[in-house]
Amino acid sequence: MTLKERIDADIKKAMLAKDKVRLTALRSIKSQILLAETAEGAHGSITPDTELKLLNKAAKQRREAAETYQQQFRSDLEEVELAELAIIEEYLPAQLSGADLTERLVAIIQRVGATGPSDLGKVMGVAAKELAGQADGRAISQEVNRLLNNTNF
């Protein structure tokens, strides 16, 4: 079952359950999928990799909006964004724990032969591809920075 089919089925369930927050989040995802499918150069369907990128983008938007609302003391709007984020995360692959992320990054650093902070770009290029969807880009960047600045890994 493709992501689009899962979303369609879950939209129907949300409509029957009258779950407005879930319905809004799912319709948002479906909208992004439809836009990607009808974009110039698309062939009417999208790859699982593109689906993952769309979900990550939607999750990132919700996280950033929630942070903004928190800074503006708008807890009502923040709660809505966090609820939608939780729904979107149900469709994302399981996220790596901090220890697993560190372990995978150490292996990548050793494989590419990075020795210090000057090799950040080299490590991030490989890490971003290998860990796409499994960890937040900001978390990957912070951990790579920490590991490269602490050369005792």
Side-chain angles (χ1 to χ4, degrees):
M1 181 180 279
T2 66
L3 177 64
K4 184 178 176 183
E5 293 168 345
R6 279 182 59 202
I7 296 293
D8 285 337
D10 290 347
I11 284 175
K12 290 175 188 173
K13 290 178 190 174
M15 289 171 78
L16 290 171
K18 299 185 188 316
D19 187 347
K20 291 181 181 182
V21 175
R22 180 174 282 285
L23 191 58
T24 302
L26 294 174
R27 283 181 173 162
S28 169
I29 296 170
K30 184 176 179 180
S31 171
Q32 290 183 352
I33 291 171
L34 291 174
L35 286 172
E37 287 178 343
T38 59
E40 191 171 323
H43 303 291
S45 64
I46 56 176
T47 64
D49 186 45
T50 304
E51 290 174 347
L52 182 63
K53 287 179 184 176
L54 290 173
L55 288 172
N56 280 326
K57 180 180 176 184
K60 182 179 178 183
Q61 288 172 340
R62 298 309 186 288
R63 265 189 225 100
E64 290 174 353
E67 288 176 18
T68 301
Y69 290 139
Q70 182 183 26
Q71 292 168 357
Q72 297 173 351
F73 304 107
R74 294 294 311 265
S75 60
D76 54 331
L77 297 175
E78 177 189 8
E79 289 172 13
V80 171
E81 294 295 331
L82 292 174
E84 289 185 15
L85 173 61
I87 293 164
I88 292 168
E89 286 177 340
E90 292 174 14
Y91 298 93
L92 286 169
Q95 299 290 298
L96 292 173
S97 69
D100 290 339
L101 177 62
T102 302
E103 182 181 315
R104 299 273 301 269
L105 288 174
V106 166
I108 291 170
I109 289 170
Q110 291 172 345
R111 190 172 64 230
V112 299
T115 57
S118 61
D119 296 321
L120 178 70
K122 188 170 24 172
V123 175
M124 281 302 296
V126 174
K129 287 180 185 172
E130 287 187 20
L131 303 176
Q134 298 176 12
D136 180 49
R138 187 183 308 168
I140 293 171
S141 176
Q142 289 173 345
E143 189 63 18
V144 168
N145 245 336
R146 187 186 71 76
L147 289 170
L148 290 177
N149 285 322
N150 178 13
T151 55
N152 298 328
F153 50 84

